[in-house]
Amino acid sequence: MKRLILLCGANGIGKSTASAELMKRLPHSSYIDSDYCRMTNPPIFNEELIRLNYKNIHAMMENSFACGEIQNVIFPFGFHGHRKQLFDALLEELRQKGISFELVPVLLYCGEEENVRRARADGRDEERIRRGIRNSRAVYENVDYPRIDVTDMTVEETAEEILKIIGTGNEEETGNAVMGSMG
């Protein structure tokens, strides 16, 4: 069965970075970055643009799951604001269309100081960092997903831990992806 690998966590924690590394290691994968699905100028979030974001993500997921070559869809996504409802609606619509997949969620977390350091290293401005810390960290306190404390981990170590959680840590499957990216 195909898998939807959800990497969630607070703003600036490293979801996109971990997803890119996971993509290198996991064959037959597609990586859907919701940041690209919602880029507009100006970057506002009214009802019309939220619908556009949803449609963009939905189309990319549906297309990825329809592709015979793709077995794993990697999706970094935060649940703050309206996003949890958007994600739940997305899953429901995919299932209603008869698209079957296993949801494999992984929650990335770290201490607040490390979260701020990572957000700064990502080039985020101080206001965005404050807003992200204030609005996104508490969202995950009661989320019952497998967790990885990434505070002292490299992106490579994080990807290895994700592979263990999703049950693909075997040498044969991940080794091919690593060798393919070296050539």
Side-chain angles (χ1 to χ4, degrees), residues 4-8 34 53-54 57-58 61 73 75-95 101 103-105 145:
L4 174 56
I5 303 166
L6 169 68
L7 298 185
C8 64
S34 67
N53 180 24
Y54 176 87
I57 293 169
H58 180 274
M61 277 201 187
V73 176
F75 184 55
F77 199 64
F79 285 164
H80 54 284
H82 66 277
R83 294 176 178 201
K84 178 66 167 110
Q85 293 90 354
L86 187 143
F87 182 72
D88 291 342
L90 178 68
L91 294 183
E92 181 60 28
E93 187 172 347
L94 290 170
R95 289 182 175 128
F101 56 89
L103 175 62
V104 184
Y145 290 164

PDB file of all heavy atoms in Angstrom, residues 4-8 34 53-54 57-58 61 73 75-95 101 103-105 145:
ATOM      1  N   LEU A   4       1.397   7.913   2.896  1.00  0.00           N
ATOM      2  CA  LEU A   4       1.480   9.354   3.046  1.00  0.00           C
ATOM      3  C   LEU A   4       2.269   9.598   4.320  1.00  0.00           C
ATOM      4  O   LEU A   4       1.798   9.317   5.421  1.00  0.00           O
ATOM      5  CB  LEU A   4       0.093   9.990   3.141  1.00  0.00           C
ATOM      6  CG  LEU A   4       0.058  11.490   3.453  1.00  0.00           C
ATOM      7  CD1 LEU A   4       0.864  12.288   2.434  1.00  0.00           C
ATOM      8  CD2 LEU A   4      -1.383  11.973   3.519  1.00  0.00           C
ATOM      9  N   ILE A   5       3.502  10.056   4.166  1.00  0.00           N
ATOM     10  CA  ILE A   5       4.390  10.297   5.303  1.00  0.00           C
ATOM     11  C   ILE A   5       4.250  11.761   5.688  1.00  0.00           C
ATOM     12  O   ILE A   5       4.720  12.647   4.978  1.00  0.00           O
ATOM     13  CB  ILE A   5       5.843   9.940   4.949  1.00  0.00           C
ATOM     14  CG1 ILE A   5       5.925   8.475   4.498  1.00  0.00           C
ATOM     15  CG2 ILE A   5       6.766  10.228   6.129  1.00  0.00           C
ATOM     16  CD1 ILE A   5       7.221   8.110   3.819  1.00  0.00           C
ATOM     17  N   LEU A   6       3.565  11.993   6.787  1.00  0.00           N
ATOM     18  CA  LEU A   6       3.318  13.342   7.281  1.00  0.00           C
ATOM     19  C   LEU A   6       4.396  13.697   8.290  1.00  0.00           C
ATOM     20  O   LEU A   6       4.534  13.028   9.318  1.00  0.00           O
ATOM     21  CB  LEU A   6       1.946  13.421   7.946  1.00  0.00           C
ATOM     22  CG  LEU A   6       1.658  14.692   8.739  1.00  0.00           C
ATOM     23  CD1 LEU A   6       1.549  15.893   7.805  1.00  0.00           C
ATOM     24  CD2 LEU A   6       0.400  14.526   9.577  1.00  0.00           C
ATOM     25  N   LEU A   7       5.168  14.747   8.003  1.00  0.00           N
ATOM     26  CA  LEU A   7       6.116  15.277   8.976  1.00  0.00           C
ATOM     27  C   LEU A   7       5.523  16.573   9.501  1.00  0.00           C
ATOM     28  O   LEU A   7       5.333  17.531   8.738  1.00  0.00           O
ATOM     29  CB  LEU A   7       7.478  15.548   8.344  1.00  0.00           C
ATOM     30  CG  LEU A   7       8.209  14.346   7.767  1.00  0.00           C
ATOM     31  CD1 LEU A   7       9.597  14.751   7.296  1.00  0.00           C
ATOM     32  CD2 LEU A   7       8.292  13.225   8.764  1.00  0.00           C
ATOM     33  N   CYS A   8       5.176  16.584  10.775  1.00  0.00           N
ATOM     34  CA  CYS A   8       4.582  17.786  11.342  1.00  0.00           C
ATOM     35  C   CYS A   8       5.400  18.262  12.527  1.00  0.00           C
ATOM     36  O   CYS A   8       6.262  17.551  13.038  1.00  0.00           O
ATOM     37  CB  CYS A   8       3.122  17.553  11.714  1.00  0.00           C
ATOM     38  SG  CYS A   8       2.854  16.348  13.005  1.00  0.00           S
ATOM     39  N   SER A  34       4.037  22.184   0.954  1.00  0.00           N
ATOM     40  CA  SER A  34       2.868  23.077   0.971  1.00  0.00           C
ATOM     41  C   SER A  34       3.272  24.545   0.868  1.00  0.00           C
ATOM     42  O   SER A  34       2.458  25.374   0.471  1.00  0.00           O
ATOM     43  CB  SER A  34       2.026  22.834   2.223  1.00  0.00           C
ATOM     44  OG  SER A  34       2.729  23.230   3.384  1.00  0.00           O
ATOM     45  N   ASN A  53      -4.866  27.053  -1.976  1.00  0.00           N
ATOM     46  CA  ASN A  53      -3.854  26.238  -1.300  1.00  0.00           C
ATOM     47  C   ASN A  53      -4.321  24.786  -1.210  1.00  0.00           C
ATOM     48  O   ASN A  53      -3.598  23.860  -1.566  1.00  0.00           O
ATOM     49  CB  ASN A  53      -3.578  26.830   0.087  1.00  0.00           C
ATOM     50  CG  ASN A  53      -2.538  26.076   0.878  1.00  0.00           C
ATOM     51  OD1 ASN A  53      -1.696  25.385   0.335  1.00  0.00           O
ATOM     52  ND2 ASN A  53      -2.601  26.224   2.179  1.00  0.00           N
ATOM     53  N   TYR A  54      -5.541  24.604  -0.758  1.00  0.00           N
ATOM     54  CA  TYR A  54      -6.119  23.259  -0.617  1.00  0.00           C
ATOM     55  C   TYR A  54      -6.140  22.537  -1.965  1.00  0.00           C
ATOM     56  O   TYR A  54      -5.714  21.393  -2.072  1.00  0.00           O
ATOM     57  CB  TYR A  54      -7.532  23.374  -0.038  1.00  0.00           C
ATOM     58  CG  TYR A  54      -8.244  22.061   0.066  1.00  0.00           C
ATOM     59  CD1 TYR A  54      -8.082  21.266   1.190  1.00  0.00           C
ATOM     60  CD2 TYR A  54      -9.060  21.609  -0.960  1.00  0.00           C
ATOM     61  CE1 TYR A  54      -8.733  20.044   1.292  1.00  0.00           C
ATOM     62  CE2 TYR A  54      -9.703  20.392  -0.868  1.00  0.00           C
ATOM     63  CZ  TYR A  54      -9.537  19.611   0.261  1.00  0.00           C
ATOM     64  OH  TYR A  54     -10.172  18.395   0.347  1.00  0.00           O
ATOM     65  N   ILE A  57      -2.575  21.493  -3.108  1.00  0.00           N
ATOM     66  CA  ILE A  57      -2.078  20.333  -2.363  1.00  0.00           C
ATOM     67  C   ILE A  57      -2.825  19.073  -2.793  1.00  0.00           C
ATOM     68  O   ILE A  57      -2.226  18.029  -3.041  1.00  0.00           O
ATOM     69  CB  ILE A  57      -2.188  20.557  -0.845  1.00  0.00           C
ATOM     70  CG1 ILE A  57      -1.245  21.667  -0.389  1.00  0.00           C
ATOM     71  CG2 ILE A  57      -1.891  19.260  -0.080  1.00  0.00           C
ATOM     72  CD1 ILE A  57      -1.471  22.128   1.043  1.00  0.00           C
ATOM     73  N   HIS A  58      -4.143  19.182  -2.886  1.00  0.00           N
ATOM     74  CA  HIS A  58      -4.965  18.025  -3.255  1.00  0.00           C
ATOM     75  C   HIS A  58      -4.549  17.486  -4.630  1.00  0.00           C
ATOM     76  O   HIS A  58      -4.381  16.275  -4.806  1.00  0.00           O
ATOM     77  CB  HIS A  58      -6.449  18.390  -3.249  1.00  0.00           C
ATOM     78  CG  HIS A  58      -7.325  17.247  -3.606  1.00  0.00           C
ATOM     79  ND1 HIS A  58      -7.628  16.924  -4.913  1.00  0.00           N
ATOM     80  CD2 HIS A  58      -7.936  16.328  -2.833  1.00  0.00           C
ATOM     81  CE1 HIS A  58      -8.402  15.860  -4.927  1.00  0.00           C
ATOM     82  NE2 HIS A  58      -8.599  15.474  -3.676  1.00  0.00           N
ATOM     83  N   MET A  61      -1.228  15.684  -4.437  1.00  0.00           N
ATOM     84  CA  MET A  61      -1.353  14.380  -3.769  1.00  0.00           C
ATOM     85  C   MET A  61      -2.055  13.369  -4.661  1.00  0.00           C
ATOM     86  O   MET A  61      -1.599  12.230  -4.796  1.00  0.00           O
ATOM     87  CB  MET A  61      -2.099  14.526  -2.447  1.00  0.00           C
ATOM     88  CG  MET A  61      -1.198  14.969  -1.352  1.00  0.00           C
ATOM     89  SD  MET A  61      -1.895  14.570   0.237  1.00  0.00           S
ATOM     90  CE  MET A  61      -0.708  15.406   1.236  1.00  0.00           C
ATOM     91  N   VAL A  73       4.526   9.331  -0.432  1.00  0.00           N
ATOM     92  CA  VAL A  73       4.333  10.763  -0.589  1.00  0.00           C
ATOM     93  C   VAL A  73       4.777  11.411   0.720  1.00  0.00           C
ATOM     94  O   VAL A  73       4.220  11.137   1.778  1.00  0.00           O
ATOM     95  CB  VAL A  73       2.865  11.110  -0.913  1.00  0.00           C
ATOM     96  CG1 VAL A  73       2.678  12.620  -0.978  1.00  0.00           C
ATOM     97  CG2 VAL A  73       2.438  10.447  -2.223  1.00  0.00           C
ATOM     98  N   PHE A  75       5.138  14.612   3.023  1.00  0.00           N
ATOM     99  CA  PHE A  75       4.391  15.858   3.144  1.00  0.00           C
ATOM    100  C   PHE A  75       4.685  16.536   4.473  1.00  0.00           C
ATOM    101  O   PHE A  75       4.165  16.135   5.503  1.00  0.00           O
ATOM    102  CB  PHE A  75       2.897  15.559   3.009  1.00  0.00           C
ATOM    103  CG  PHE A  75       2.008  16.771   3.009  1.00  0.00           C
ATOM    104  CD1 PHE A  75       2.201  17.805   2.106  1.00  0.00           C
ATOM    105  CD2 PHE A  75       0.955  16.855   3.898  1.00  0.00           C
ATOM    106  CE1 PHE A  75       1.364  18.911   2.098  1.00  0.00           C
ATOM    107  CE2 PHE A  75       0.108  17.953   3.898  1.00  0.00           C
ATOM    108  CZ  PHE A  75       0.310  18.990   2.994  1.00  0.00           C
ATOM    109  N   PRO A  76       5.535  17.579   4.472  1.00  0.00           N
ATOM    110  CA  PRO A  76       5.755  18.350   5.697  1.00  0.00           C
ATOM    111  C   PRO A  76       4.623  19.369   5.841  1.00  0.00           C
ATOM    112  O   PRO A  76       4.307  20.088   4.891  1.00  0.00           O
ATOM    113  CB  PRO A  76       7.092  19.051   5.438  1.00  0.00           C
ATOM    114  CG  PRO A  76       7.167  19.193   3.949  1.00  0.00           C
ATOM    115  CD  PRO A  76       6.414  18.025   3.380  1.00  0.00           C
ATOM    116  N   PHE A  77       4.035  19.430   7.051  1.00  0.00           N
ATOM    117  CA  PHE A  77       2.871  20.292   7.206  1.00  0.00           C
ATOM    118  C   PHE A  77       2.671  20.646   8.669  1.00  0.00           C
ATOM    119  O   PHE A  77       2.829  19.786   9.538  1.00  0.00           O
ATOM    120  CB  PHE A  77       1.630  19.562   6.672  1.00  0.00           C
ATOM    121  CG  PHE A  77       0.469  20.443   6.340  1.00  0.00           C
ATOM    122  CD1 PHE A  77       0.551  21.381   5.326  1.00  0.00           C
ATOM    123  CD2 PHE A  77      -0.708  20.327   7.037  1.00  0.00           C
ATOM    124  CE1 PHE A  77      -0.529  22.188   5.009  1.00  0.00           C
ATOM    125  CE2 PHE A  77      -1.798  21.125   6.733  1.00  0.00           C
ATOM    126  CZ  PHE A  77      -1.709  22.062   5.721  1.00  0.00           C
ATOM    127  N   GLY A  78       2.328  21.882   8.923  1.00  0.00           N
ATOM    128  CA  GLY A  78       2.046  22.331  10.280  1.00  0.00           C
ATOM    129  C   GLY A  78       0.551  22.387  10.519  1.00  0.00           C
ATOM    130  O   GLY A  78      -0.217  22.634   9.595  1.00  0.00           O
ATOM    131  N   PHE A  79       0.131  22.180  11.753  1.00  0.00           N
ATOM    132  CA  PHE A  79      -1.287  22.136  12.090  1.00  0.00           C
ATOM    133  C   PHE A  79      -1.813  23.411  12.730  1.00  0.00           C
ATOM    134  O   PHE A  79      -2.912  23.435  13.240  1.00  0.00           O
ATOM    135  CB  PHE A  79      -1.566  20.976  13.049  1.00  0.00           C
ATOM    136  CG  PHE A  79      -1.554  19.625  12.403  1.00  0.00           C
ATOM    137  CD1 PHE A  79      -1.466  18.491  13.189  1.00  0.00           C
ATOM    138  CD2 PHE A  79      -1.628  19.463  11.038  1.00  0.00           C
ATOM    139  CE1 PHE A  79      -1.462  17.234  12.619  1.00  0.00           C
ATOM    140  CE2 PHE A  79      -1.614  18.212  10.455  1.00  0.00           C
ATOM    141  CZ  PHE A  79      -1.537  17.090  11.252  1.00  0.00           C
ATOM    142  N   HIS A  80      -1.050  24.486  12.739  1.00  0.00           N
ATOM    143  CA  HIS A  80      -1.511  25.719  13.370  1.00  0.00           C
ATOM    144  C   HIS A  80      -2.561  26.411  12.485  1.00  0.00           C
ATOM    145  O   HIS A  80      -2.644  26.172  11.283  1.00  0.00           O
ATOM    146  CB  HIS A  80      -0.329  26.642  13.656  1.00  0.00           C
ATOM    147  CG  HIS A  80       0.510  26.929  12.458  1.00  0.00           C
ATOM    148  ND1 HIS A  80       1.400  26.007  11.956  1.00  0.00           N
ATOM    149  CD2 HIS A  80       0.562  27.993  11.642  1.00  0.00           C
ATOM    150  CE1 HIS A  80       1.976  26.512  10.898  1.00  0.00           C
ATOM    151  NE2 HIS A  80       1.484  27.722  10.674  1.00  0.00           N
ATOM    152  N   GLY A  81      -3.343  27.272  13.106  1.00  0.00           N
ATOM    153  CA  GLY A  81      -4.374  28.010  12.387  1.00  0.00           C
ATOM    154  C   GLY A  81      -5.404  27.081  11.774  1.00  0.00           C
ATOM    155  O   GLY A  81      -5.870  26.146  12.412  1.00  0.00           O
ATOM    156  N   HIS A  82      -5.749  27.320  10.519  1.00  0.00           N
ATOM    157  CA  HIS A  82      -6.765  26.539   9.809  1.00  0.00           C
ATOM    158  C   HIS A  82      -6.221  25.234   9.226  1.00  0.00           C
ATOM    159  O   HIS A  82      -6.977  24.451   8.669  1.00  0.00           O
ATOM    160  CB  HIS A  82      -7.334  27.381   8.652  1.00  0.00           C
ATOM    161  CG  HIS A  82      -6.312  27.653   7.583  1.00  0.00           C
ATOM    162  ND1 HIS A  82      -5.391  28.680   7.684  1.00  0.00           N
ATOM    163  CD2 HIS A  82      -6.038  27.017   6.429  1.00  0.00           C
ATOM    164  CE1 HIS A  82      -4.599  28.662   6.621  1.00  0.00           C
ATOM    165  NE2 HIS A  82      -4.969  27.664   5.842  1.00  0.00           N
ATOM    166  N   ARG A  83      -4.948  24.974   9.379  1.00  0.00           N
ATOM    167  CA  ARG A  83      -4.307  23.883   8.646  1.00  0.00           C
ATOM    168  C   ARG A  83      -4.743  22.486   9.079  1.00  0.00           C
ATOM    169  O   ARG A  83      -4.784  21.583   8.262  1.00  0.00           O
ATOM    170  CB  ARG A  83      -2.798  24.014   8.741  1.00  0.00           C
ATOM    171  CG  ARG A  83      -2.284  25.227   8.034  1.00  0.00           C
ATOM    172  CD  ARG A  83      -0.821  25.340   8.265  1.00  0.00           C
ATOM    173  NE  ARG A  83      -0.272  26.467   7.560  1.00  0.00           N
ATOM    174  CZ  ARG A  83       1.002  26.567   7.260  1.00  0.00           C
ATOM    175  NH1 ARG A  83       1.845  25.627   7.599  1.00  0.00           N
ATOM    176  NH2 ARG A  83       1.444  27.626   6.633  1.00  0.00           N
ATOM    177  N   LYS A  84      -5.032  22.272  10.337  1.00  0.00           N
ATOM    178  CA  LYS A  84      -5.465  20.931  10.771  1.00  0.00           C
ATOM    179  C   LYS A  84      -6.780  20.572  10.086  1.00  0.00           C
ATOM    180  O   LYS A  84      -6.942  19.454   9.603  1.00  0.00           O
ATOM    181  CB  LYS A  84      -5.600  20.884  12.302  1.00  0.00           C
ATOM    182  CG  LYS A  84      -6.093  19.534  12.832  1.00  0.00           C
ATOM    183  CD  LYS A  84      -5.108  18.416  12.589  1.00  0.00           C
ATOM    184  CE  LYS A  84      -5.454  17.180  13.382  1.00  0.00           C
ATOM    185  NZ  LYS A  84      -5.935  16.061  12.583  1.00  0.00           N
ATOM    186  N   GLN A  85      -7.712  21.523  10.021  1.00  0.00           N
ATOM    187  CA  GLN A  85      -8.981  21.275   9.339  1.00  0.00           C
ATOM    188  C   GLN A  85      -8.749  21.023   7.850  1.00  0.00           C
ATOM    189  O   GLN A  85      -9.380  20.139   7.258  1.00  0.00           O
ATOM    190  CB  GLN A  85      -9.956  22.450   9.518  1.00  0.00           C
ATOM    191  CG  GLN A  85     -10.431  22.636  10.931  1.00  0.00           C
ATOM    192  CD  GLN A  85      -9.532  23.574  11.737  1.00  0.00           C
ATOM    193  OE1 GLN A  85      -8.467  24.020  11.289  1.00  0.00           O
ATOM    194  NE2 GLN A  85      -9.930  23.870  12.958  1.00  0.00           N
ATOM    195  N   LEU A  86      -7.840  21.779   7.250  1.00  0.00           N
ATOM    196  CA  LEU A  86      -7.518  21.588   5.845  1.00  0.00           C
ATOM    197  C   LEU A  86      -6.951  20.187   5.616  1.00  0.00           C
ATOM    198  O   LEU A  86      -7.363  19.486   4.690  1.00  0.00           O
ATOM    199  CB  LEU A  86      -6.508  22.648   5.403  1.00  0.00           C
ATOM    200  CG  LEU A  86      -6.182  22.701   3.921  1.00  0.00           C
ATOM    201  CD1 LEU A  86      -5.992  24.161   3.484  1.00  0.00           C
ATOM    202  CD2 LEU A  86      -4.922  21.928   3.602  1.00  0.00           C
ATOM    203  N   PHE A  87      -6.047  19.751   6.492  1.00  0.00           N
ATOM    204  CA  PHE A  87      -5.444  18.428   6.356  1.00  0.00           C
ATOM    205  C   PHE A  87      -6.494  17.326   6.510  1.00  0.00           C
ATOM    206  O   PHE A  87      -6.531  16.385   5.713  1.00  0.00           O
ATOM    207  CB  PHE A  87      -4.323  18.242   7.386  1.00  0.00           C
ATOM    208  CG  PHE A  87      -3.630  16.922   7.276  1.00  0.00           C
ATOM    209  CD1 PHE A  87      -2.776  16.655   6.221  1.00  0.00           C
ATOM    210  CD2 PHE A  87      -3.833  15.932   8.232  1.00  0.00           C
ATOM    211  CE1 PHE A  87      -2.124  15.431   6.113  1.00  0.00           C
ATOM    212  CE2 PHE A  87      -3.194  14.714   8.122  1.00  0.00           C
ATOM    213  CZ  PHE A  87      -2.340  14.459   7.068  1.00  0.00           C
ATOM    214  N   ASP A  88      -7.351  17.442   7.513  1.00  0.00           N
ATOM    215  CA  ASP A  88      -8.406  16.436   7.720  1.00  0.00           C
ATOM    216  C   ASP A  88      -9.344  16.364   6.517  1.00  0.00           C
ATOM    217  O   ASP A  88      -9.721  15.280   6.081  1.00  0.00           O
ATOM    218  CB  ASP A  88      -9.192  16.730   8.999  1.00  0.00           C
ATOM    219  CG  ASP A  88      -8.372  16.503  10.256  1.00  0.00           C
ATOM    220  OD1 ASP A  88      -7.329  15.807  10.193  1.00  0.00           O
ATOM    221  OD2 ASP A  88      -8.767  17.035  11.319  1.00  0.00           O
ATOM    222  N   ALA A  89      -9.716  17.520   5.962  1.00  0.00           N
ATOM    223  CA  ALA A  89     -10.588  17.549   4.783  1.00  0.00           C
ATOM    224  C   ALA A  89      -9.894  16.915   3.582  1.00  0.00           C
ATOM    225  O   ALA A  89     -10.511  16.188   2.799  1.00  0.00           O
ATOM    226  CB  ALA A  89     -10.994  18.986   4.471  1.00  0.00           C
ATOM    227  N   LEU A  90      -8.605  17.180   3.450  1.00  0.00           N
ATOM    228  CA  LEU A  90      -7.822  16.610   2.357  1.00  0.00           C
ATOM    229  C   LEU A  90      -7.815  15.082   2.418  1.00  0.00           C
ATOM    230  O   LEU A  90      -8.080  14.401   1.427  1.00  0.00           O
ATOM    231  CB  LEU A  90      -6.395  17.150   2.422  1.00  0.00           C
ATOM    232  CG  LEU A  90      -5.401  16.646   1.402  1.00  0.00           C
ATOM    233  CD1 LEU A  90      -5.770  17.146   0.023  1.00  0.00           C
ATOM    234  CD2 LEU A  90      -4.008  17.101   1.773  1.00  0.00           C
ATOM    235  N   LEU A  91      -7.540  14.539   3.608  1.00  0.00           N
ATOM    236  CA  LEU A  91      -7.535  13.080   3.765  1.00  0.00           C
ATOM    237  C   LEU A  91      -8.900  12.491   3.437  1.00  0.00           C
ATOM    238  O   LEU A  91      -8.998  11.475   2.750  1.00  0.00           O
ATOM    239  CB  LEU A  91      -7.141  12.696   5.197  1.00  0.00           C
ATOM    240  CG  LEU A  91      -5.727  13.011   5.641  1.00  0.00           C
ATOM    241  CD1 LEU A  91      -5.495  12.499   7.059  1.00  0.00           C
ATOM    242  CD2 LEU A  91      -4.697  12.438   4.695  1.00  0.00           C
ATOM    243  N   GLU A  92      -9.945  13.132   3.934  1.00  0.00           N
ATOM    244  CA  GLU A  92     -11.303  12.638   3.687  1.00  0.00           C
ATOM    245  C   GLU A  92     -11.641  12.650   2.198  1.00  0.00           C
ATOM    246  O   GLU A  92     -12.190  11.692   1.671  1.00  0.00           O
ATOM    247  CB  GLU A  92     -12.317  13.482   4.470  1.00  0.00           C
ATOM    248  CG  GLU A  92     -13.747  13.042   4.302  1.00  0.00           C
ATOM    249  CD  GLU A  92     -14.014  11.609   4.757  1.00  0.00           C
ATOM    250  OE1 GLU A  92     -13.307  11.100   5.658  1.00  0.00           O
ATOM    251  OE2 GLU A  92     -14.938  10.977   4.191  1.00  0.00           O
ATOM    252  N   GLU A  93     -11.289  13.726   1.514  1.00  0.00           N
ATOM    253  CA  GLU A  93     -11.589  13.804   0.083  1.00  0.00           C
ATOM    254  C   GLU A  93     -10.808  12.757  -0.715  1.00  0.00           C
ATOM    255  O   GLU A  93     -11.351  12.130  -1.625  1.00  0.00           O
ATOM    256  CB  GLU A  93     -11.299  15.204  -0.458  1.00  0.00           C
ATOM    257  CG  GLU A  93     -11.762  15.367  -1.888  1.00  0.00           C
ATOM    258  CD  GLU A  93     -11.682  16.781  -2.402  1.00  0.00           C
ATOM    259  OE1 GLU A  93     -11.499  17.719  -1.609  1.00  0.00           O
ATOM    260  OE2 GLU A  93     -11.809  16.940  -3.630  1.00  0.00           O
ATOM    261  N   LEU A  94      -9.546  12.544  -0.375  1.00  0.00           N
ATOM    262  CA  LEU A  94      -8.766  11.511  -1.063  1.00  0.00           C
ATOM    263  C   LEU A  94      -9.403  10.134  -0.863  1.00  0.00           C
ATOM    264  O   LEU A  94      -9.537   9.352  -1.810  1.00  0.00           O
ATOM    265  CB  LEU A  94      -7.323  11.511  -0.559  1.00  0.00           C
ATOM    266  CG  LEU A  94      -6.460  12.706  -0.959  1.00  0.00           C
ATOM    267  CD1 LEU A  94      -5.147  12.701  -0.187  1.00  0.00           C
ATOM    268  CD2 LEU A  94      -6.205  12.731  -2.458  1.00  0.00           C
ATOM    269  N   ARG A  95      -9.809   9.848   0.358  1.00  0.00           N
ATOM    270  CA  ARG A  95     -10.435   8.545   0.648  1.00  0.00           C
ATOM    271  C   ARG A  95     -11.778   8.408  -0.050  1.00  0.00           C
ATOM    272  O   ARG A  95     -12.125   7.334  -0.532  1.00  0.00           O
ATOM    273  CB  ARG A  95     -10.546   8.353   2.158  1.00  0.00           C
ATOM    274  CG  ARG A  95      -9.181   8.116   2.784  1.00  0.00           C
ATOM    275  CD  ARG A  95      -9.256   7.865   4.276  1.00  0.00           C
ATOM    276  NE  ARG A  95      -7.941   7.528   4.786  1.00  0.00           N
ATOM    277  CZ  ARG A  95      -7.364   8.117   5.813  1.00  0.00           C
ATOM    278  NH1 ARG A  95      -7.987   9.066   6.491  1.00  0.00           N
ATOM    279  NH2 ARG A  95      -6.157   7.752   6.209  1.00  0.00           N
ATOM    280  N   PHE A 101      -4.300   4.675   0.988  1.00  0.00           N
ATOM    281  CA  PHE A 101      -2.942   4.922   1.423  1.00  0.00           C
ATOM    282  C   PHE A 101      -2.890   4.722   2.931  1.00  0.00           C
ATOM    283  O   PHE A 101      -3.906   4.774   3.616  1.00  0.00           O
ATOM    284  CB  PHE A 101      -2.498   6.357   1.077  1.00  0.00           C
ATOM    285  CG  PHE A 101      -3.404   7.418   1.628  1.00  0.00           C
ATOM    286  CD1 PHE A 101      -3.195   7.953   2.891  1.00  0.00           C
ATOM    287  CD2 PHE A 101      -4.494   7.856   0.888  1.00  0.00           C
ATOM    288  CE1 PHE A 101      -4.040   8.920   3.405  1.00  0.00           C
ATOM    289  CE2 PHE A 101      -5.340   8.824   1.393  1.00  0.00           C
ATOM    290  CZ  PHE A 101      -5.121   9.351   2.659  1.00  0.00           C
ATOM    291  N   LEU A 103      -1.531   6.343   6.273  1.00  0.00           N
ATOM    292  CA  LEU A 103      -1.009   7.582   6.842  1.00  0.00           C
ATOM    293  C   LEU A 103       0.043   7.214   7.879  1.00  0.00           C
ATOM    294  O   LEU A 103      -0.224   6.461   8.809  1.00  0.00           O
ATOM    295  CB  LEU A 103      -2.126   8.400   7.502  1.00  0.00           C
ATOM    296  CG  LEU A 103      -1.666   9.662   8.248  1.00  0.00           C
ATOM    297  CD1 LEU A 103      -1.007  10.652   7.291  1.00  0.00           C
ATOM    298  CD2 LEU A 103      -2.841  10.298   8.971  1.00  0.00           C
ATOM    299  N   VAL A 104       1.262   7.730   7.691  1.00  0.00           N
ATOM    300  CA  VAL A 104       2.364   7.493   8.615  1.00  0.00           C
ATOM    301  C   VAL A 104       2.828   8.859   9.137  1.00  0.00           C
ATOM    302  O   VAL A 104       3.646   9.523   8.503  1.00  0.00           O
ATOM    303  CB  VAL A 104       3.531   6.737   7.942  1.00  0.00           C
ATOM    304  CG1 VAL A 104       4.613   6.417   8.966  1.00  0.00           C
ATOM    305  CG2 VAL A 104       3.040   5.479   7.250  1.00  0.00           C
ATOM    306  N   PRO A 105       2.270   9.282  10.280  1.00  0.00           N
ATOM    307  CA  PRO A 105       2.643  10.588  10.812  1.00  0.00           C
ATOM    308  C   PRO A 105       3.883  10.525  11.703  1.00  0.00           C
ATOM    309  O   PRO A 105       4.105   9.542  12.411  1.00  0.00           O
ATOM    310  CB  PRO A 105       1.415  10.980  11.630  1.00  0.00           C
ATOM    311  CG  PRO A 105       0.897   9.664  12.129  1.00  0.00           C
ATOM    312  CD  PRO A 105       1.201   8.647  11.043  1.00  0.00           C
ATOM    313  N   TYR A 145       1.278  11.275  17.961  1.00  0.00           N
ATOM    314  CA  TYR A 145       2.027  10.720  16.840  1.00  0.00           C
ATOM    315  C   TYR A 145       3.389  10.272  17.359  1.00  0.00           C
ATOM    316  O   TYR A 145       3.875  10.810  18.356  1.00  0.00           O
ATOM    317  CB  TYR A 145       2.268  11.773  15.757  1.00  0.00           C
ATOM    318  CG  TYR A 145       1.066  12.217  14.958  1.00  0.00           C
ATOM    319  CD1 TYR A 145       1.128  13.385  14.213  1.00  0.00           C
ATOM    320  CD2 TYR A 145      -0.117  11.495  14.928  1.00  0.00           C
ATOM    321  CE1 TYR A 145       0.057  13.820  13.455  1.00  0.00           C
ATOM    322  CE2 TYR A 145      -1.194  11.924  14.174  1.00  0.00           C
ATOM    323  CZ  TYR A 145      -1.103  13.086  13.442  1.00  0.00           C
ATOM    324  OH  TYR A 145      -2.164  13.516  12.694  1.00  0.00           O
TER     325      TYR A 145
END
